[in-house]
PDB file of all heavy atoms in Angstrom:
ATOM      1  N   LEU A  26       0.832  10.125 -12.991  1.00  0.00           N
ATOM      2  CA  LEU A  26      -0.022   9.065 -13.367  1.00  0.00           C
ATOM      3  C   LEU A  26      -0.973   9.467 -14.566  1.00  0.00           C
ATOM      4  O   LEU A  26      -1.702   8.548 -15.010  1.00  0.00           O
ATOM      5  CB  LEU A  26      -0.867   8.621 -12.153  1.00  0.00           C
ATOM      6  CG  LEU A  26      -0.144   8.134 -10.952  1.00  0.00           C
ATOM      7  CD1 LEU A  26      -1.043   7.910  -9.766  1.00  0.00           C
ATOM      8  CD2 LEU A  26       0.823   7.040 -11.302  1.00  0.00           C
ATOM      9  N   TYR A  28      -0.518   9.575 -17.656  1.00  0.00           N
ATOM     10  CA  TYR A  28      -0.432   8.868 -18.881  1.00  0.00           C
ATOM     11  C   TYR A  28      -1.106   7.474 -18.718  1.00  0.00           C
ATOM     12  O   TYR A  28      -1.370   6.821 -19.789  1.00  0.00           O
ATOM     13  CB  TYR A  28       1.048   8.711 -19.216  1.00  0.00           C
ATOM     14  CG  TYR A  28       1.764   7.761 -18.378  1.00  0.00           C
ATOM     15  CD1 TYR A  28       1.915   6.406 -18.823  1.00  0.00           C
ATOM     16  CD2 TYR A  28       2.352   8.123 -17.236  1.00  0.00           C
ATOM     17  CE1 TYR A  28       2.540   5.513 -18.021  1.00  0.00           C
ATOM     18  CE2 TYR A  28       2.968   7.199 -16.356  1.00  0.00           C
ATOM     19  CZ  TYR A  28       3.036   5.904 -16.847  1.00  0.00           C
ATOM     20  OH  TYR A  28       3.732   5.011 -16.033  1.00  0.00           O
ATOM     21  N   LEU A  29      -1.391   7.088 -17.577  1.00  0.00           N
ATOM     22  CA  LEU A  29      -1.979   5.754 -17.381  1.00  0.00           C
ATOM     23  C   LEU A  29      -3.465   5.807 -17.685  1.00  0.00           C
ATOM     24  O   LEU A  29      -4.160   6.702 -17.322  1.00  0.00           O
ATOM     25  CB  LEU A  29      -1.842   5.283 -15.961  1.00  0.00           C
ATOM     26  CG  LEU A  29      -0.451   4.752 -15.481  1.00  0.00           C
ATOM     27  CD1 LEU A  29      -0.429   4.496 -14.011  1.00  0.00           C
ATOM     28  CD2 LEU A  29      -0.111   3.509 -16.301  1.00  0.00           C
ATOM     29  N   HIS A  30      -4.029   4.702 -18.210  1.00  0.00           N
ATOM     30  CA  HIS A  30      -5.391   4.578 -18.448  1.00  0.00           C
ATOM     31  C   HIS A  30      -6.028   4.289 -17.112  1.00  0.00           C
ATOM     32  O   HIS A  30      -5.420   3.670 -16.202  1.00  0.00           O
ATOM     33  CB  HIS A  30      -5.661   3.357 -19.365  1.00  0.00           C
ATOM     34  CG  HIS A  30      -7.110   3.239 -19.765  1.00  0.00           C
ATOM     35  ND1 HIS A  30      -8.099   2.643 -18.992  1.00  0.00           N
ATOM     36  CD2 HIS A  30      -7.803   3.722 -20.816  1.00  0.00           C
ATOM     37  CE1 HIS A  30      -9.193   2.726 -19.554  1.00  0.00           C
ATOM     38  NE2 HIS A  30      -9.098   3.371 -20.786  1.00  0.00           N
ATOM     39  N   VAL A  31      -7.255   4.928 -16.899  1.00  0.00           N
ATOM     40  CA  VAL A  31      -7.973   4.796 -15.653  1.00  0.00           C
ATOM     41  C   VAL A  31      -8.140   3.330 -15.053  1.00  0.00           C
ATOM     42  O   VAL A  31      -7.826   2.978 -13.961  1.00  0.00           O
ATOM     43  CB  VAL A  31      -9.348   5.514 -15.679  1.00  0.00           C
ATOM     44  CG1 VAL A  31     -10.057   5.265 -14.458  1.00  0.00           C
ATOM     45  CG2 VAL A  31      -9.197   6.915 -15.931  1.00  0.00           C
ATOM     46  N   MET A  32      -8.374   2.419 -16.002  1.00  0.00           N
ATOM     47  CA  MET A  32      -8.588   0.971 -15.653  1.00  0.00           C
ATOM     48  C   MET A  32      -7.230   0.413 -15.164  1.00  0.00           C
ATOM     49  O   MET A  32      -7.292  -0.407 -14.258  1.00  0.00           O
ATOM     50  CB  MET A  32      -9.137   0.225 -16.805  1.00  0.00           C
ATOM     51  CG  MET A  32     -10.711   0.657 -17.088  1.00  0.00           C
ATOM     52  SD  MET A  32     -11.675   0.305 -15.591  1.00  0.00           S
ATOM     53  CE  MET A  32     -11.626  -1.433 -15.417  1.00  0.00           C
ATOM     54  N   ASP A  33      -6.085   0.756 -15.860  1.00  0.00           N
ATOM     55  CA  ASP A  33      -4.830   0.264 -15.446  1.00  0.00           C
ATOM     56  C   ASP A  33      -4.537   0.749 -13.999  1.00  0.00           C
ATOM     57  O   ASP A  33      -4.043  -0.035 -13.125  1.00  0.00           O
ATOM     58  CB  ASP A  33      -3.789   0.690 -16.387  1.00  0.00           C
ATOM     59  CG  ASP A  33      -3.951   0.004 -17.751  1.00  0.00           C
ATOM     60  OD1 ASP A  33      -4.593  -1.124 -17.884  1.00  0.00           O
ATOM     61  OD2 ASP A  33      -3.535   0.560 -18.735  1.00  0.00           O
ATOM     62  N   LEU A  34      -4.736   2.003 -13.725  1.00  0.00           N
ATOM     63  CA  LEU A  34      -4.421   2.642 -12.535  1.00  0.00           C
ATOM     64  C   LEU A  34      -5.272   1.922 -11.424  1.00  0.00           C
ATOM     65  O   LEU A  34      -4.766   1.639 -10.342  1.00  0.00           O
ATOM     66  CB  LEU A  34      -4.729   4.105 -12.537  1.00  0.00           C
ATOM     67  CG  LEU A  34      -4.343   4.857 -11.262  1.00  0.00           C
ATOM     68  CD1 LEU A  34      -2.895   4.641 -10.829  1.00  0.00           C
ATOM     69  CD2 LEU A  34      -4.577   6.330 -11.445  1.00  0.00           C
ATOM     70  N   CYS A  35      -6.548   1.775 -11.689  1.00  0.00           N
ATOM     71  CA  CYS A  35      -7.507   1.173 -10.680  1.00  0.00           C
ATOM     72  C   CYS A  35      -7.038  -0.287 -10.385  1.00  0.00           C
ATOM     73  O   CYS A  35      -7.116  -0.708  -9.204  1.00  0.00           O
ATOM     74  CB  CYS A  35      -8.910   1.107 -11.227  1.00  0.00           C
ATOM     75  SG  CYS A  35      -9.652   2.809 -11.193  1.00  0.00           S
ATOM     76  N   THR A  36      -6.537  -1.038 -11.514  1.00  0.00           N
ATOM     77  CA  THR A  36      -6.154  -2.372 -11.220  1.00  0.00           C
ATOM     78  C   THR A  36      -4.969  -2.437 -10.325  1.00  0.00           C
ATOM     79  O   THR A  36      -4.825  -3.184  -9.398  1.00  0.00           O
ATOM     80  CB  THR A  36      -5.811  -3.055 -12.553  1.00  0.00           C
ATOM     81  OG1 THR A  36      -7.029  -3.102 -13.319  1.00  0.00           O
ATOM     82  CG2 THR A  36      -5.292  -4.457 -12.377  1.00  0.00           C
ATOM     83  N   ILE A  37      -4.006  -1.505 -10.622  1.00  0.00           N
ATOM     84  CA  ILE A  37      -2.668  -1.558  -9.780  1.00  0.00           C
ATOM     85  C   ILE A  37      -2.961  -1.219  -8.389  1.00  0.00           C
ATOM     86  O   ILE A  37      -2.623  -1.807  -7.420  1.00  0.00           O
ATOM     87  CB  ILE A  37      -1.693  -0.555 -10.378  1.00  0.00           C
ATOM     88  CG1 ILE A  37      -1.203  -1.104 -11.766  1.00  0.00           C
ATOM     89  CG2 ILE A  37      -0.461  -0.351  -9.510  1.00  0.00           C
ATOM     90  CD1 ILE A  37      -0.395  -0.009 -12.617  1.00  0.00           C
ATOM     91  N   LEU A  38      -3.638  -0.002  -8.190  1.00  0.00           N
ATOM     92  CA  LEU A  38      -3.855   0.495  -6.827  1.00  0.00           C
ATOM     93  C   LEU A  38      -4.902  -0.453  -6.058  1.00  0.00           C
ATOM     94  O   LEU A  38      -4.685  -0.649  -4.950  1.00  0.00           O
ATOM     95  CB  LEU A  38      -4.276   1.925  -6.836  1.00  0.00           C
ATOM     96  CG  LEU A  38      -3.360   2.968  -7.231  1.00  0.00           C
ATOM     97  CD1 LEU A  38      -3.762   4.370  -7.326  1.00  0.00           C
ATOM     98  CD2 LEU A  38      -2.061   2.971  -6.245  1.00  0.00           C
ATOM     99  N   GLY A  39      -5.906  -0.843  -6.774  1.00  0.00           N
ATOM    100  CA  GLY A  39      -6.881  -1.724  -6.182  1.00  0.00           C
ATOM    101  C   GLY A  39      -6.335  -2.924  -5.595  1.00  0.00           C
ATOM    102  O   GLY A  39      -6.642  -3.351  -4.498  1.00  0.00           O
ATOM    103  N   ASN A  40      -5.510  -3.707  -6.357  1.00  0.00           N
ATOM    104  CA  ASN A  40      -4.866  -4.906  -5.895  1.00  0.00           C
ATOM    105  C   ASN A  40      -4.032  -4.612  -4.675  1.00  0.00           C
ATOM    106  O   ASN A  40      -4.078  -5.325  -3.631  1.00  0.00           O
ATOM    107  CB  ASN A  40      -4.124  -5.512  -6.983  1.00  0.00           C
ATOM    108  CG  ASN A  40      -3.603  -6.854  -6.692  1.00  0.00           C
ATOM    109  OD1 ASN A  40      -4.269  -7.682  -6.027  1.00  0.00           O
ATOM    110  ND2 ASN A  40      -2.318  -7.183  -7.121  1.00  0.00           N
TER     111      ASN A  40
END
Side-chain angles (χ1 to χ4, degrees):
L26 305 174
Y28 74 95
L29 283 174
H30 188 276
V31 172
M32 290 302 294
D33 294 333
L34 183 58
C35 288
T36 299
I37 293 167
L38 289 176
N40 185 40

